[in-house]
Amino acid sequence: MNQFTKNTQNNETSHRETAIRFVELADQSWDRNKSVDLAQTEGIQLTDEHWAVIVYLRRYYLNHGSPIKSLTLENALNEQFSALGGSEYLYRLFPGGPVSQGNRIANLVNK
């Protein structure tokens, strides 16, 4: 028995295929300029550190879909960026919240 198996029910789109989410992301016609514009409207000048989080958020969505609870994604972000300071580091980059503001800037949610 593997006690570390991820619960796929934590993702609202767990039943959807990665290919479908890939098409959804492709249909956005997203590029870095969109995120730059979105960040500027929120008073953020994007750095390489911001881009690492944005890319992670977009890959997370592609692989897992949208989590039912934002805590699921927050925990994944904390784990991914723990060596840099985890939550404290992420909130310095995205003071409006790494999940909510980060997803907006990554163009993953409607404003």
Side-chain angles (χ1 to χ4, degrees), residues 6-7 10 15-16 21-22 25 32 39 46 50 52 54 59 61 63 67 78 83 86-87 89 91 93 98 103 107-108:
K6 291 187 177 189
N7 182 357
N10 285 336
H15 64 283
R16 299 177 76 185
R21 289 191 296 273
F22 180 80
L25 291 177
R32 285 180 159 240
L46 296 179
H50 290 96
I54 291 167
R59 284 187 183 151
Y61 175 79
N63 292 320
N78 285 334
S87 183
Y89 169 78
Y91 272 94
L93 295 174
N103 275 328
N107 201 38
L108 292 172

Side-chain angles (χ1 to χ4, degrees), residues 1 14 26 28 37 41 43 45 54 58 66 69 79 82-83 86 89 95 102 110-111:
M1 182 170 122
S14 61
Q28 290 180 347
D37 293 342
T41 64
Q45 185 73 25
I54 291 167
R58 292 185 64 83
S66 297
K69 297 178 183 177
E79 182 178 328
S82 63
Y89 169 78
N110 295 327
K111 294 193 270 183

Side-chain angles (χ1 to χ4, degrees), residues 21-33:
R21 289 191 296 273
F22 180 80
V23 170
E24 289 172 356
L25 291 177
D27 285 346
Q28 290 180 347
S29 298
W30 176 83
D31 63 22
R32 285 180 159 240
N33 292 326

